[in-house]
């Protein structure tokens, strides 16, 4: 049997969920025995195979046109899509900017905050993605499994990956289910 | 009994019970949010819905009475789906950020309910509307973003505390928990009891001291008793690393049933006095740190020659100290030293008159519980809104339901605003007033038992003259009291501090006259004072502290505050030894200061105002060089070669108590 292909990427998150994935320690070797790890933000290959992967994992919410693209691409190429962590599942901390809107958030970050040089401006390079409301992954594309946690701990991620790698459906409950 | 079936299990439930309670009794879990066992079922959150066979729609089990033959299912697919939908609606209504919420991870009933349904996400995302966070209260914070509008806080503030500060304004999705007329909590009529925080199922109400100190699972919980006053409320001390992070009312508490007042819940958390951590002795006019050996040796050397002599040692102990400590104090100074002036810091003001009446007439007071069912409460000389507040909660909650309050107090008190009649009599006119009330009742033939009053008109006239209260007001109060079915007369220091046993006697006659005291119930209560007021008087420590040439004074103040007048009196003594926990103007005057444990650092017993003997255990380890209050007394005794042998449990029974002990 060929090993299932897995790819991951991050969007509007803090990379903490991927750190938690690495926190699996030696168990990561076991996961690697079970799966064919393809593109991830922390390995050389950056995009999921055009030919498709079995499991796609996304960390972070969707907060701009670039992350929208990432989400759509992963959804298109992955048979099973996993939202990893509170930002992907709920919107998380970055979604707090929805309270004030994109404009006010940018102005605060690039102009008003004390840490800015006087005369600082909101970056307006046309190459930059356009900011949007911050959304949970399931608000943009259909999600197969939501894995909450800020971050989900290594045990949770290991369980989910191991189940998916062996063709089973992960069921998060009891100690494995937490939202923080 | 009613037969019902829940999830296939045959259950017998008492008639009138709700389906929810019946399920709980049978060990079947039905998720709930707005339900709280101390509150009237409300049916607001709908999470407790169940399927009842042959019924058209799911029903909220918390408000559904059981009926014979009912077949209930709590875990059908449809019910589970509905629960998930209800929770989804709740999460979408406000803003929940579990990763940084104080109660996340075990202590949030909302989150736990979602986990129970194995929800991994919110099917309906929030609307990202901003909700106010009210941080104006000194002790807690209301974050409306996490509020689920279950109204437990509103109901607790009204139904239990009787303060009715909180309410839900607006309707539907616009509903908002507000204080009074939507004023900041810190500027509201809130009396800071913290009950709302204790019942809130989410992180919407969090208290300042324990928030973000960790989940409850990381705390230890020790049952204790509040040493704040003579009500004796049962508490739970929530402790982390030898530090109390929060005090909760113990729902199992026989007296308070979970309630506390500001003094019980928050005062100990906001202690600002400086702790004394080493014995001190006056050397060249200044207090210097010394060893325990030196300090105790010096006290013993000073007191030894004075023992037994007239004008020897005067001793005074705080009524906040445990019963056993007070008993030992008495044995040491009365039994061994033969001192003529041994008393307690309250000097019998709240109790002496009561006990001397009891010594002649036996127990004559009732139990606090009687307040819960009173239809009229006559409060005389007791500002129950400021002190002994939990006793006040017991009837204040019933005022909107028709319980009447008559407040008699020369001082302006918050109770005046709640009272149906307020009699502001002139100071010192209580006797005339009480007799006047008796006379009106007898004259109008409203008495429930005979009382011989030869000159009723004279007494009424005298009462009007002496009190400055009008005939109409007096008559109205008398009629209200006499016409009620279950009246209670509650008297406080305003009466007892006059040290007049006759006043107590007349109150007793009034109580019998109006049926507050009869063969079936006893609705006469004195509210007393500090935690061990009653024990102190039963030990005979209730004299006035009038120094009269004594050579030395020993003050066991413990963690109590010394009154200005006490400090003034003892500072004239040639020698002053103080055992105290905190620095104060009293310890400043001392020749020797012995640092002792505070309430939470010692084992002890407290005899509350209605005769409940309750025990506490040491919950916190005292600072290194601080010693237990009792241990210090026995060290002094040992150095004087005095033997302490009496049993405090019998010592406290030496005098007749005004209330039956249990
Ligand atoms: S109140 Fe409960 S559900 Fe809301 S943020 Fe806090 S832990 Fe999460
Ligand atoms: S602290 Fe007590 S009085 Fe104040 S709002 Fe809460 S329940 Fe009401
Ligand atoms: S503040 Fe707490 S107790 Fe009050 S309605 Fe909101 S969630 Fe319920
Ligand atoms: S009423 Fe008295 S015993 Fe009860 S909490 Fe308040 S101070 Fe403590
Ligand atoms: S618990 Fe029954 S409706 Fe809330």
């Amino acid at each position: 049997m060929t090993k299932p292909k897995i790819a991951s990427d991050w969007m509007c998150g803090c990379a903490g969920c991927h750190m938690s994935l690495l926190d699996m320690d030696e168990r990561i070797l076991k996961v690697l025995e079970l799966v064919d790890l393809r593109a991830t933000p922390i390995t050389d290959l950056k995009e999921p195979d055009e030919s498709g992967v079995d499991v796609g994992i996304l960390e972070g919410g969707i907060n701009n046109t670039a992350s929208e693209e990432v989400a759509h691409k992963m959804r298109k190429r992955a048979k099973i899509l996993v939202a990893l962590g509170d930002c992907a599942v709920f919107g998380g901390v970055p979604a707090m900017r929805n309270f004030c809107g994109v404009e006010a958030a940018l102005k605060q970050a690039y102009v008003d905050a004390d840490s800015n040089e006087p005369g600082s401006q909101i970056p307006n390079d046309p190459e930059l993605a356009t900011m949007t409301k911050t959304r949970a992954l399931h608000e943009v594309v259909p999600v197969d499994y939501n894995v909450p946690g800020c971050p989900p701990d290594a045990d949770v991620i290991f369980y989910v990956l191991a189940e998916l790698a062996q063709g089973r459906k992960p069921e998060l409950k009891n100690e494995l289910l937490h939202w923080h | 009994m009613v037969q019902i079936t829940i999830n296939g299990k045959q259950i017998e439930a008492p008639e009138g019970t709700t389906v929810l309670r019946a399920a709980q009794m049978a060990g079947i879990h039905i998720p709930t949010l707005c339900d709280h066992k101390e509150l009237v079922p409300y049916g607001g959150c709908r999470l407790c819905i169940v399927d009842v066979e042959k019924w058209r729609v799911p029903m909220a089990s918390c408000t559904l009475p059981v009926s014979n033959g009912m077949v209930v299912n709590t875990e059908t697919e449809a019910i589970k789906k509905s629960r998930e939908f209800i929770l989804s609606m709740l999460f979408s209504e406000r803003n929940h950020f579990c990763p940084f919420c104080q109660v996340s991870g075990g202590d949030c009933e909302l989150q736990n309910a979602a986990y129970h349904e194995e929800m991994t996400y919110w099917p309906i995302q929030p609307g990202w509307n901003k909700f106010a966070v009210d941080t104006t209260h000194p002790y807690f914070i209301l974050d409306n973003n996490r509020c689920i509008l279950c109204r437990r806080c509103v109901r607790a503030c009204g139904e239990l505390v009787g303060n009715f500060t909180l309410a839900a304004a607006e309707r539907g999705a616009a509903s908002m928990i507000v204080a009074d007329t939507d004023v900041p909590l810190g500027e509201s009529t809130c009396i800071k009891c913290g009950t709302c925080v204790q019942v809130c199922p989410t992180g919407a109400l969090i208290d300042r001291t324990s928030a973000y100190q960790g989940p409850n699972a990381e705390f230890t919980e020790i049952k204790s008793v509040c040493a704040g006053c003579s009500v004796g409320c049962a508490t739970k001390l929530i402790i982390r690393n030898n530090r109390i992070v929060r005090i909760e009312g113990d729902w199992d508490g026989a007296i308070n049933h979970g309630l506390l007042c500001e003094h019980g819940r928050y005062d100990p958390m906001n202690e600002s006095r400086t702790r004394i951590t080493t014995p001190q002795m006056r050397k060249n006019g200044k207090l210097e740190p010394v060893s325990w050996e030196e300090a105790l040796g010096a006290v013993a050397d000073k007191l030894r020659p004075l023992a037994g002599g007239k004008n020897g040692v005067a001793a005074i102990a705080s009524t906040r100290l445990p019963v056993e400590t007070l008993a030992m104090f008495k044995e040491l100074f009365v039994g061994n030293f033969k001192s003529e002036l041994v008393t307690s810091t309250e000097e019998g003001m709240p109790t002496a008159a009561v006990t001397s009446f009891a010594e002649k007439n036996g127990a004559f007071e009732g139990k606090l519980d009687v307040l819960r069912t009173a239809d009229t409460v006559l409060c005389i000389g007791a500002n129950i809104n400021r002190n002994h507040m939990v006793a006040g909660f017991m009837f204040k909650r019933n005022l909107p339901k028709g319980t009447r309050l008559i407040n008699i107090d020369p001082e302006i008190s918050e109770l005046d605003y709640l009272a149906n009649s307020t009699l502001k009599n002139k100071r010192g006119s209580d006797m005339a007033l009480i007799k006047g009330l008796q006379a009106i009742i007898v004259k109008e033939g409203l008495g429930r038992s005979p009382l011989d009053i030869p000159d009723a008109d004279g007494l009424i006239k005298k009462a009007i003259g002496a009190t400055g209260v009008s005939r109409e007001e007096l008559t109205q109060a008398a009629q209200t009291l006499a016409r009620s079915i279950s009246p209670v007369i509650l008297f406080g220091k305003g009466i007892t501090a006059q040290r007049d046993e006759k006043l107590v006697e007349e109150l007793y006659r009034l109580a019998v006259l109006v049926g507050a005291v009869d063969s079936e119930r006893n609705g006469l209560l004195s509210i007393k004072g500090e935690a061990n007021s009653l024990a102190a008087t039963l030990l005979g420590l209730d004299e006035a502290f009038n120094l009269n040439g004594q050579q030395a004074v020993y003050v066991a103040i413990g963690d109590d505050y010394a009154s200005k007048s006490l400090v003034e009196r003892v500072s004239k003594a040639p020698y002053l030894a103080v055992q105290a926990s905190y620095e104060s103007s009293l310890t400043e005057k001392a020749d020797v200061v012995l640092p002792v444990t505070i309430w939470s650092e010692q084992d002890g017993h407290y005899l509350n105002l209605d005769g409940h003997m309750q025990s506490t255990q040491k919950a916190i380890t005292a600072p290194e060089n601080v010693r237990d209050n009792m241990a210090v007394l026995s060290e002094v005794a040992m150095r004087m070669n005095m033997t302490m042998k009496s049993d405090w449990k019998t010592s406290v029974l030496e005098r007749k108590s005004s209330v039956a002990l249990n």
Side-chain angles (χ1 to χ4, degrees):
Chain A
M1 197 184 103
T2 52
K3 294 195 215 171
K5 288 191 183 123
I6 293 193
S8 81
D9 207 344
W10 57 35
M11 305 177 296
C12 187
C14 69
C17 298
H18 275 79
M19 294 304 123
S20 193
L21 189 150
L22 295 175
D23 218 15
M24 253 182 246
D25 302 326
E26 76 288 347
R27 279 178 300 178
I28 204 158
L29 299 175
K30 226 189 200 153
V31 173
L32 290 176
E33 271 170 30
L34 292 172
V35 305
D36 177 7
L37 194 65
R38 308 292 302 163
T40 75
I42 42 182
T43 51
D44 289 341
L45 191 59
K46 296 296 180 203
E47 278 201 358
D49 305 56
E50 234 169 292
S51 55
V53 292
D54 295 284
V55 180
I57 301 170
L58 287 175
E59 168 194 323
I62 287 115
N63 68 326
N64 58 28
T65 47
S67 53
E68 270 168 14
E69 241 171 70
V70 171
H72 284 295
K73 189 173 282 171
M74 189 63 95
R75 176 69 278 185
K76 210 173 285 156
R77 294 182 184 181
K79 288 200 194 97
I80 295 170
L81 181 61
V82 177
L84 182 67
D86 276 2
C87 297
V89 173
F90 303 110
V93 171
M96 292 187 95
R97 77 164 195 224
N98 295 345
F99 292 124
C100 64
V102 170
E103 276 312 308
L106 285 171
K107 186 159 171 289
Q108 177 64 31
Y110 288 100
V111 183
D112 294 345
D114 287 343
S115 52
N116 290 308
E117 296 288 335
S120 297
Q121 283 190 353
I122 297 171
N124 56 0
D125 190 319
E127 296 258 308
L128 286 172
T130 311
M131 306 279 272
T132 62
K133 180 178 151 188
T134 303
R135 288 152 294 165
L137 185 55
H138 72 84
E139 292 182 84
V140 178
V141 294
V143 170
D144 299 298
Y145 294 103
N146 283 289
V147 183
C150 185
D153 43 51
D155 290 345
V156 173
I157 303 176
F158 177 76
Y159 166 77
V160 170
L161 289 182
E163 291 297 289
L164 288 174
Q166 294 166 83
R168 290 193 292 263
K169 291 182 172 175
E171 273 178 34
L172 293 180
K173 54 183 169 190
N174 304 327
E175 316 78 67
L176 293 177
L177 179 57
H178 63 77
W179 293 358
H180 66 272
Chain B
M1 283 289 180
V2 168
Q3 302 285 338
I4 73 166
T5 311
I6 304 182
N7 296 350
K9 195 169 163 181
Q10 304 274 346
I11 292 167
E12 272 217 331
E15 215 157 316
T17 317
T18 61
V19 170
L20 175 63
R21 292 282 177 266
Q24 286 168 340
M25 282 183 243
I28 296 168
H29 174 72
I30 299 176
T32 57
L33 280 171
C34 67
D35 179 65
H36 190 283
K37 70 178 172 63
E38 296 297 325
L39 301 172
V40 177
Y42 177 67
C45 73
R46 316 313 284 179
L47 190 66
C48 66
I49 48 162
V50 294
D51 179 83
V52 186
E53 260 176 37
K54 303 206 181 79
W55 288 37
R56 199 168 48 84
V57 287
M59 299 297 295
S61 62
C62 69
T63 48
L64 180 65
V66 289
S67 62
N68 228 351
M70 214 177 216
V71 179
V72 172
N73 281 296
T74 73
E75 296 298 320
T76 66
E77 278 317 304
I79 290 293
K80 284 200 248 178
K81 263 218 166 75
S82 300
R83 280 204 296 255
E84 194 174 323
F85 179 69
I86 289 162
L87 288 166
S88 302
M89 296 292 278
L90 285 175
F91 285 116
S92 72
E93 197 167 49
R94 298 284 167 102
N95 299 298
H96 296 270
F97 290 92
C98 296
F100 59 85
C101 179
Q102 144 67 17
V103 292
S104 183
D107 304 334
C108 174
E109 293 180 35
L110 174 63
Q111 193 186 60
N112 290 347
Y115 290 180
H116 183 263
E117 302 311 318
E118 293 170 14
M119 284 175 74
T120 56
Y121 77 115
W122 300 328
I124 310 167
Q125 281 289 98
W128 309 111
N129 301 307
K130 278 191 243 180
F131 294 92
V133 180
D134 186 340
T135 60
T136 58
H137 197 282
Y139 303 133
F140 54 81
I141 289 163
L142 168 62
D143 183 346
N144 285 293
N145 289 284
R146 299 167 181 166
C147 172
I148 54 169
L149 297 169
C150 68
R151 292 162 174 82
R152 280 200 206 170
C153 54
V154 175
R155 290 144 65 207
C157 188
E159 279 170 32
L160 301 180
V161 184
N163 215 55
F164 304 94
T165 295
L166 299 176
E170 306 293 344
R171 282 165 188 235
S175 304
M176 201 63 63
I177 298 304
V178 298
D180 300 330
T181 50
D182 200 3
V183 301
L185 269 165
E187 292 160 26
S188 71
T189 54
C190 168
I191 51 161
K192 309 185 183 77
C193 71
T195 309
C196 51
V197 183
Q198 188 168 318
V199 298
C200 179
T202 70
L205 280 165
I206 55 173
D207 83 293
R208 291 179 186 273
T209 52
S210 69
Y212 299 104
Q213 301 278 315
N216 285 339
E218 287 174 18
F219 300 151
T220 40
E221 195 179 286
I222 296 185
K223 290 201 177 211
S224 189
V225 174
C226 174
C229 81
S230 52
V231 175
C233 298
T235 60
K236 284 197 229 162
L237 308 178
I238 314 296
I239 296 169
R240 173 162 206 165
N241 297 334
N242 203 40
R243 198 166 53 85
I244 299 173
V245 295
R246 183 172 72 231
I247 299 174
E248 287 180 4
D250 184 353
W251 295 114
D252 299 329
I255 295 152
N256 57 321
H257 300 280
L259 304 183
L260 295 178
C261 74
E262 177 183 11
H263 305 307
R265 196 186 300 268
Y266 296 116
D267 284 1
M269 304 305 302
N270 294 285
E271 181 57 65
S272 60
R273 293 174 288 176
T274 309
R275 195 69 195 268
I276 306 169
T277 52
T278 170
Q280 297 168 12
M281 254 174 78
R282 193 163 296 281
K283 291 183 172 170
N284 305 321
K286 256 185 68 193
L287 279 175
E288 306 269 0
V290 294
S291 69
W292 272 101
E293 265 322 297
E294 191 177 348
L296 287 166
V299 173
D301 287 347
K302 183 74 199 179
L303 301 189
R304 198 173 292 117
L306 301 174
K310 228 185 158 17
N311 300 340
V313 186
I316 184 162
S318 164
T319 42
R320 243 179 92 91
L321 290 169
V323 184
E324 42 274 70
T325 309
L326 289 172
M328 183 181 261
F329 180 85
K330 177 193 175 177
E331 189 184 2
L332 177 61
F333 290 101
V334 179
N336 278 317
F337 271 101
K338 311 274 184 261
S339 300
E340 287 184 342
L341 184 55
V342 182
T343 186
S344 64
T345 45
E346 289 184 289
E347 303 176 52
M349 302 273 248
T351 49
V354 170
T355 306
S356 53
F357 181 67
E359 287 212 292
K360 293 174 200 129
N361 302 284
F364 66 93
E365 286 190 63
K367 298 283 178 182
L368 268 172
D369 259 342
V370 77
L371 282 169
R372 298 171 191 280
T373 50
D375 64 351
T376 296
V377 177
L378 176 114
C379 228
I380 178 161
N383 186 350
I384 200 113
N385 224 38
R386 173 136 317 154
N387 295 304
H388 309 97
M389 287 193 207
V390 170
F393 300 170
M394 294 176 191
F395 67 84
K396 276 170 62 187
R397 62 172 78 131
N398 294 331
L399 296 179
K401 291 186 207 150
T403 291
R404 289 155 301 245
L405 173 62
I406 303 165
N407 192 34
I408 305 179
D409 198 337
E411 314 287 335
I412 302 269
S413 105
E414 295 91 333
L415 277 192
D416 296 344
Y417 303 105
L418 301 172
N420 303 66
S421 342
T422 309
L423 308 186
K424 292 261 154 271
N425 60 325
K426 288 196 192 119
R427 218 173 292 254
S429 68
D430 295 310
M431 184 66 93
L433 184 132
I434 298 164
K435 287 192 166 171
L437 290 175
Q438 292 170 354
I440 295 171
I441 293 164
V442 168
K443 193 179 160 203
E444 300 201 357
L446 296 172
R448 299 257 211 100
S449 63
L451 181 66
D452 188 29
I453 297 192
D455 180 20
D457 285 318
L459 287 173
I460 297 168
K461 211 173 259 159
K462 202 170 154 199
I464 296 164
T467 59
V469 175
S470 71
R471 179 183 291 265
E472 292 66 40
E473 284 177 298
L474 219 50
T475 308
Q476 198 206 0
Q479 288 172 342
T480 306
L481 186 65
R483 285 182 181 145
S484 36
I485 295 159
S486 45
V488 171
I489 297 178
L490 188 67
F491 62 106
K493 237 158 69 179
I495 292 294
T496 54
Q498 300 177 41
R499 292 187 172 279
D500 184 357
E501 189 190 316
K502 283 258 151 42
L503 269 174
V504 178
E505 184 176 348
E506 290 309 328
L507 276 175
Y508 180 74
R509 281 151 59 100
L510 177 65
V512 174
L513 177 65
V514 298
V517 174
D518 60 24
S519 55
E520 262 145 48
R521 59 188 278 289
N522 189 331
L524 180 64
L525 295 167
S526 81
I527 206 72
K528 311 196 178 60
E530 288 213 57
N532 265 327
S533 274
L534 179 58
T537 182
L538 294 182
L539 288 164
L541 303 173
D542 61 359
E543 274 180 72
F545 189 62
N546 296 325
L547 282 173
N548 178 22
Q550 277 86 354
Q551 298 295 300
V553 175
Y554 192 102
V555 185
I557 197 75
D559 56 5
D560 203 354
Y561 289 86
S563 70
K564 231 182 176 165
S565 110
L566 176 66
V567 177
E568 256 162 42
R569 281 176 281 167
V570 299
S571 56
K572 295 195 190 99
Y575 185 80
L576 176 62
V578 175
Q579 68 176 67
S581 309
Y582 297 105
E583 283 177 10
S584 68
S585 53
L586 173 69
T587 59
E588 265 168 35
K589 303 270 168 23
D591 294 288
V592 175
V593 181
L594 306 169
V596 286
T597 43
I598 62 169
W599 63 281
S600 54
E601 297 164 351
Q602 62 205 8
D603 294 338
H605 284 78
Y606 296 89
L607 184 58
N608 89 327
L609 73 91
D610 69 353
H612 282 82
M613 183 67 84
Q614 306 188 91
S615 69
T616 65
Q617 48 168 316
K618 175 180 156 189
I620 297 287
T621 306
E624 179 79 21
N625 216 7
V626 161
R627 293 197 183 168
D628 185 90
N629 273 292
M630 276 257 265
V632 171
L633 293 174
S634 60
E635 289 271 359
V636 171
M638 216 172 68
R639 278 175 174 72
M640 310 279 303
N641 288 324
M642 291 172 171
T643 40
M644 312 284 281
K645 47 187 182 299
S646 73
D647 169 21
W648 65 269
K649 283 191 177 134
T650 39
S651 315
V652 89
L653 297 176
E654 272 163 27
R655 296 182 81 188
K656 271 194 195 155
S657 169
S658 56
V659 57
L661 304 186
N662 55 349

